[in-house]
């Protein structure tokens, strides 16, 4: 049995295994800095750009090639990744359904897993949101 916050315990089938997210996926944190934005260039996805559903790059702020390269040194986001906001409106996830290159702004993470869309659906659920609520911290801005 796994106790969920404010809910009844959920029966886990005996043949299932309970695992932490970081054991079934790679979690890549964004840089913790704010770049200089440009009028043209590459999209930078900030926490306010992450909405449930497919990622929409239409209204994102833009950064130069140099900033893009700096912010993608650790990892270049790709199609079928999951993006999650981690500050303010924490725990919101978007599914990357595009091959367009972009980089992450601060307060976001990428979750890359072999489970892809299935994991996105789980992270979008109210059960996952309740579990995430247990781990947030901060007084003025909640943070995962």
């Amino acid at each position: 049995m796994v106790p969920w916050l404010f809910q009844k315990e959920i029966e886990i089938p005996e043949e299932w295994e309970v695992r932490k997210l970081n054991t079934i996926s790679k979690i890549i944190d964004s840089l913790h800095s704010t770049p200089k934005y440009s009028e043209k260039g590459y999209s930078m996805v900030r926490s306010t750009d992450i909405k449930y559903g497919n990622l929409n790059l239409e209204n994102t702020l833009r950064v130069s090639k140099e900033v893009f390269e700096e912010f993608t040194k650790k990892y270049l986001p790709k199609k079928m990744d999951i993006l999650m906001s981690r500050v303010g409106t924490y725990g919101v996830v978007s599914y990357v359904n595009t091959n367009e290159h972009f980089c992450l702004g601060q307060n976001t993470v990428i979750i890359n897993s072999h489970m892809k869309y299935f994991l996105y659906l789980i992270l979008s659920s109210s059960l996952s949101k309740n579990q995430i609520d247990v781990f947030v911290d901060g007084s003025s801005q909640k943070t995962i």
Side-chain angles (χ1 to χ4, degrees):
M1 297 274 214
V2 175
W4 295 88
L5 186 64
F6 305 121
Q7 296 185 6
K8 294 180 181 179
E9 289 186 349
I10 296 176
E11 187 77 30
I12 301 292
E14 208 171 288
E15 63 274 9
W16 285 18
E17 182 179 350
V18 176
R19 309 251 322 257
K20 291 186 176 184
L21 182 59
N22 65 356
T23 66
I24 60 167
S25 60
K26 183 176 180 181
I27 301 172
I28 302 103
D29 197 3
S30 59
L31 292 182
H32 294 246
S33 62
T34 302
K36 181 178 178 189
Y37 297 109
S38 305
E39 287 194 29
K40 295 182 179 184
Y42 294 89
S43 289
M44 174 170 271
V45 175
R46 299 169 306 141
S47 59
T48 56
D49 301 314
I50 299 175
K51 312 271 190 259
Y52 290 108
N54 291 329
L55 179 64
N56 183 346
L57 297 174
E58 191 174 310
N59 296 316
T60 58
L61 294 178
R62 302 290 172 160
V63 294
S64 68
K65 181 178 181 178
E66 294 76 28
V67 171
F68 171 80
E69 288 173 350
E70 177 187 347
F71 277 70
T72 57
K73 260 190 231 177
K74 281 196 298 185
Y75 185 82
L76 177 64
K78 59 183 178 271
K79 191 171 187 174
M80 299 195 310
D81 280 340
I82 300 165
L83 304 183
M84 180 181 278
S85 59
R86 58 176 197 80
V87 175
T89 56
Y90 61 87
V92 178
V93 291
S94 285
Y95 189 75
V96 179
N97 65 331
T98 180
N99 287 315
E100 186 177 335
H101 290 294
F102 65 91
C103 58
L104 290 183
Q106 63 183 340
N107 303 325
T108 60
V109 296
I110 292 176
I111 301 168
N112 178 277
S113 173
H114 65 280
M115 297 176 134
K116 314 263 184 241
Y117 197 67
F118 177 72
L119 184 57
Y120 166 76
L121 292 174
I122 290 171
L123 290 171
S124 298
S125 74
S126 60
L127 289 175
S128 289
K129 179 68 172 150
N130 289 339
Q131 224 22 58
I132 290 169
D133 284 341
V134 171
F135 296 102
V136 296
D137 193 18
S139 55
S140 61
Q141 283 254 24
K142 299 293 185 188
T143 304
I144 296 177

